[in-house]
Amino acid sequence: MQLLPSLLAGLTAVCATFPDARKGRGGNITTADFGLSAFAMFFMQSASFLAYQRALEKGQGRSNGQTLFAIGRIPSDNYIRDKLDEADPALLQPCFERLESLLAEPSMRQAFGRLGGRTLIAWDGTEYFCSQKLGCPNCLTRKRSNGKTENYHCLLSATVVAPGHSNSKVVPLMPEFVATQDGAEKQDCERNAVKRWFDNHHARIATLRPVFLGDDLFACHPVAKMVTDAGDDFIFTCKATSHKALYDFIDGAELSRHEEKARRRNTKETFRYRWIEAVPIRDGKDAILVNWIGFEIVDAKGKVKYSMAWVTSLPVSKDNVAVIVACGRARWKIENESFNVLKNHGYELEHNFGHGQKFLAMTLAALNLLAFAWHTMLELLEPPWQAAREAAVKRTSFFAHILILTGYVVFPSWEALLQSLTTSTIPPELVKSRDSP
């Protein structure tokens, strides 16, 4: 087993760079222990994990926090919050860069590569904290109908997706936080955040040959030009209500057309494609030219069941229009397989694990996304993890079994823990060690 220990070693090195304002010796808790302890909670899918490990350490003299996560000493919850409030989430970027390097490996390119080996990266924003009582300098604000001001946090996620992926896997990359910017008169927004994300990361991920996906918000001249000027491509949702000039231009124009028959279970459907190339995305002589695609799914009775349209910088033809549409529709995976899982299936992204006054809420959210990304990578690349997941069948059962086992037995390594999960047995020497002095 190599990948998980290697990822943890990288995270330990990054957490060791977190700021430490403690005077003198700083106690017997290292700077890395604070970040690793918070991450362990997200990785193990349990807000109670640290409490269980403190109990184990008290009873047995050591814990899985030490043996699995290399935590020297588990800090108290409040101590973790205080220390991580000083840590800018940007410090975690090397951990996300490691994921980018993994995505470039042949097996990952095979899993996620589309359009001739290119990587689809979906952009979308999501809220992860909201309160009328708590707030910090990084909070966004809005007025509610009752007159009260609401504070909230939002992040722009950049997530690797792929249509038709049999296991519905997605990999979140380093997020960009939609937060109050120094010196800015207006409140931050997703479009500003996507520009910052692109400036910070696009050159480094060029080897992935990205095609960026996004909803109608990103189908605008500045974002489209930003992407194409860098030599990349995009597929953005394009609604008629927000692109009047574009739809006026194509109204009455001669469109290319293509149809495909499909069978879904016992139902026959027709996929209808329409497209036109080199249309202006907005009014103005300097407007960037894009290719427009319209798509409909029609049932056997001729009723339109689904209708959507996109603009793209990719050339469109009869031979590739279906593939481009499938990639455009894959944008929904950032909602279904990413945000939905993060908020409703174990990661509890919207739960207030700690808000702080500086960076805490953002840093905890970044650690949560990192844990989610690691789980995806391990399911695709780490054989012992794959075997344990397969043995558990359900994802919820897998993490429930992990929590139960690590609450009572100290495992010397991840390999030992995953072997126990795979075989549904605990090595006798580990059970005996619990009873020994």
Side-chain angles (χ1 to χ4, degrees):
M1 185 170 187
Q2 298 179 345
L3 180 57
L4 183 52
S6 175
L7 291 173
L8 282 167
L11 178 60
T12 301
V14 166
C15 291
T17 68
F18 287 179
D20 188 356
R22 293 176 294 180
K23 302 295 183 180
R25 190 169 64 88
N28 55 2
I29 302 178
T30 68
T31 305
D33 286 343
F34 296 100
L36 290 170
S37 295
F39 177 79
M41 175 182 65
F42 297 124
F43 189 80
M44 301 297 270
Q45 297 285 271
S46 171
S48 303
F49 176 72
L50 297 180
Y52 291 151
Q53 300 315 303
R54 292 188 191 103
L56 265 183
E57 187 172 1
K58 184 177 181 180
Q60 300 189 37
R62 60 175 186 159
S63 74
N64 290 295
Q66 295 171 326
T67 59
L68 302 182
F69 291 96
I71 301 170
R73 185 175 179 185
I74 302 174
S76 69
D77 293 349
N78 286 336
Y79 203 4
I80 293 171
R81 295 187 184 101
D82 289 343
K83 300 306 297 181
L84 293 189
D85 197 25
E86 304 291 331
D88 190 322
L91 294 170
L92 292 167
Q93 181 167 316
C95 295
F96 286 95
E97 289 182 12
R98 176 68 191 284
L99 300 179
E100 295 166 9
S101 67
L102 291 172
L103 285 165
E105 293 186 0
S107 60
M108 297 300 288
R109 283 191 179 276
Q110 183 177 3
F112 288 98
R114 297 295 187 272
L115 294 167
R118 305 190 67 175
T119 302
L120 306 179
I121 300 178
W123 286 326
D124 202 3
T126 190
E127 290 184 24
Y128 62 94
F129 170 84
C130 183
S131 173
Q132 292 183 356
K133 297 181 179 179
L134 296 177
C136 73
N138 288 307
C139 276
L140 303 175
T141 59
R142 58 191 168 206
K143 285 281 189 180
R144 285 305 190 187
S145 57
N146 60 6
K148 292 185 178 180
T149 298
E150 195 168 73
N151 303 307
Y152 67 100
H153 277 281
C154 178
L155 63 84
L156 176 90
S157 178
T159 301
V160 175
V161 300
H165 200 293
S166 59
N167 292 320
S168 301
K169 297 291 185 294
V170 297
V171 181
L173 304 178
M174 182 71 192
E176 180 65 37
F177 291 91
V178 186
T180 303
Q181 303 296 303
D182 291 339
E185 295 182 3
K186 294 183 178 180
Q187 187 158 266
D188 199 20
C189 65
E190 286 182 40
R191 281 186 180 174
N192 290 337
V194 84
K195 293 174 185 176
R196 294 195 302 271
W197 187 95
F198 197 80
D199 288 343
N200 291 332
H201 307 294
H202 87 272
R204 194 183 60 255
I205 63 173
T207 55
L208 297 176
R209 300 173 60 220
V211 176
F212 294 98
L213 313 179
D215 60 20
D216 186 77
L217 178 69
F218 301 112
C220 62
H221 175 87
V223 176
K225 189 173 187 301
M226 172 187 74
V227 172
T228 54
D229 282 354
D232 297 323
D233 289 296
F234 62 82
I235 307 170
F236 295 146
T237 302
C238 181
K239 297 180 179 179
T241 52
S242 52
H243 292 83
K244 185 177 185 302
L246 185 152
Y247 277 85
D248 284 346
F249 187 91
I250 66 176
D251 186 29
E254 184 67 29
L255 302 180
S256 301
R257 299 175 184 272
H258 175 60
E259 287 191 2
E260 293 181 356
K261 301 295 182 180
R263 178 180 289 275
R264 184 176 299 177
R265 298 184 180 90
N266 296 323
T267 303
K268 292 182 179 180
E269 296 176 333
T270 301
F271 290 1
R272 291 178 180 171
Y273 304 91
R274 298 175 297 149
W275 68 93
I276 184 171
E277 295 190 291
V279 295
I281 198 169
R282 62 163 169 79
D283 276 330
K285 294 182 180 180
D286 63 337
I288 188 172
L289 299 181
V290 297
N291 303 324
W292 179 89
I293 302 174
F295 173 65
E296 293 179 339
I297 299 178
V298 183
D299 66 17
K301 296 181 179 180
K303 181 179 179 181
V304 176
K305 298 172 55 181
Y306 175 86
S307 178
M308 187 58 68
W310 298 267
V311 289
T312 180
S313 56
L314 295 165
V316 186
S317 69
K318 178 181 177 181
D319 295 330
N320 71 359
V321 65
V323 177
I324 293 175
V325 165
C327 292
R329 295 180 69 187
R331 188 199 72 79
W332 283 104
K333 286 180 173 286
I334 197 174
E335 296 278 358
N336 298 334
E337 273 86 48
S338 183
F339 296 155
N340 179 48
V341 174
L342 284 164
K343 294 180 179 182
N344 302 311
H345 298 280
Y347 299 89
E348 306 298 335
L349 182 65
E350 292 178 304
H351 178 75
N352 180 21
F353 294 99
H355 187 258
Q357 288 300 312
K358 291 185 179 180
F359 300 114
L360 180 61
M362 296 190 295
T363 298
L364 291 177
L367 287 169
N368 208 343
L369 261 67
L370 185 64
F372 177 42
W374 281 22
H375 290 154
T376 299
M377 289 298 189
L378 292 169
E379 288 195 33
L380 292 171
L381 297 173
E382 190 76 287
W385 187 278
Q386 293 169 337
R389 276 287 287 111
E390 185 177 349
V393 183
K394 293 184 179 179
R395 180 186 176 281
T396 51
S397 300
F398 175 70
F399 285 105
H401 295 164
I402 284 182
L403 187 60
I404 293 171
L405 287 179
T406 57
Y408 292 94
V409 179
V410 178
F411 289 88
S413 67
W414 280 102
E415 194 164 11
L417 171 58
L418 293 171
Q419 181 65 20
S420 289
L421 290 166
T422 303
T423 61
S424 299
T425 61
I426 301 175
E429 63 272 16
L430 298 185
V431 178
K432 289 180 181 178
S433 67
R434 295 180 59 233
D435 301 325
S436 59

